[in-house]
Amino acid sequence: VPFNQSLLPLFLLSEAALVGLFLVAALVFIEKSEGTFRAYRVSPGGVVELLASKVTVMVGLGLLLTVLLTPAVVGTRANYPQTLALVALGGAFGAALGLAVASFFDSITGFSVWMLALTLPLTLPMLSYLMPSFAPAYIRALPTYPLLLGLRSTVFGGGAPWETYALLAAWAAASFAAAVLVYRARLAHE
């Protein structure tokens, strides 16, 4: 695989899958400053629907980026259904995690340091991707490790094991459940 093409899974991880971690926080802070959450509390919609809509938008952005970027780099040889499924699961995980963490802050300024502290460990698997002999257990334990390896496999025409999808779905569901619990508790105290 040429070096320029081998970087595609890294871009898909950082831009398509984890972009929601940053952007969803920006959305949350805009909505907090405009009082959207307070106004939403009197609507018939619930917290699950509100947060699911944000995660859906972030997953959609990640999928759009994947559909634009992947054909430009590898053409038709990618396993598109599996690549898109991995990006969707990774995007759901990133967006839900961003929602859960952003709920503790009132502005993007306070969130920025914690965003970096959260992002750096999640991107450590990039080291193992670029240097395959370096894959300590603490990196392999991160949810982004199987995501990155799965993207590498599917982008170049292979497939990812079903365990990768199950693990990412579990992380995404756990992150979303944590976000729902945190938002319910925070809204109850307002």
Side-chain angles (χ1 to χ4, degrees):
V1 175
F3 182 72
N4 63 334
Q5 291 181 358
S6 71
L7 295 179
L8 179 61
L10 297 174
F11 285 113
L12 292 179
L13 172 68
S14 64
E15 300 303 323
L18 293 180
V19 72
L21 186 67
F22 310 112
L23 290 180
V24 80
L27 281 174
V28 166
F29 297 125
I30 289 169
E31 290 181 353
K32 278 184 179 182
S33 69
E34 294 175 351
T36 304
F37 290 116
R38 184 167 281 131
Y40 190 78
R41 285 186 4 191
V42 298
S43 74
V47 173
V48 173
E49 292 84 3
L50 176 67
L51 299 182
S53 69
K54 293 178 184 344
V55 170
T56 302
V57 168
M58 294 303 119
V59 168
L61 285 173
L63 292 174
L64 177 65
L65 182 68
T66 303
V67 166
L68 293 174
L69 193 59
T70 304
V73 176
V74 296
T76 59
R77 76 177 184 187
N79 182 340
Y80 283 96
Q82 288 193 22
T83 300
L84 293 172
L86 285 172
V87 167
L89 289 169
F93 163 69
L97 185 61
L99 282 170
V101 175
S103 70
F104 293 102
F105 299 93
D106 292 325
S107 70
I108 194 101
T109 308
F111 175 71
S112 296
V113 172
W114 291 100
M115 179 178 62
L116 288 174
L118 186 63
T119 305
L120 287 176
L122 290 176
T123 57
L124 280 176
M126 291 180 178
L127 293 173
S128 294
Y129 180 85
L130 294 170
M131 299 179 294
S133 62
F134 177 72
Y138 66 89
I139 289 181
R140 290 191 314 266
L142 295 169
T144 48
Y145 182 80
L147 173 59
L148 185 56
L149 294 184
L151 286 171
R152 180 180 64 189
S153 179
T154 61
V155 160
F156 299 115
W162 69 269
E163 294 91 353
T164 300
Y165 298 98
L167 182 64
L168 289 171
W171 275 100
S175 297
F176 188 76
V180 168
L181 291 173
V182 167
Y183 274 87
R184 282 189 177 147
R186 304 231 1 130
L187 288 173
H189 288 91
E190 283 188 7

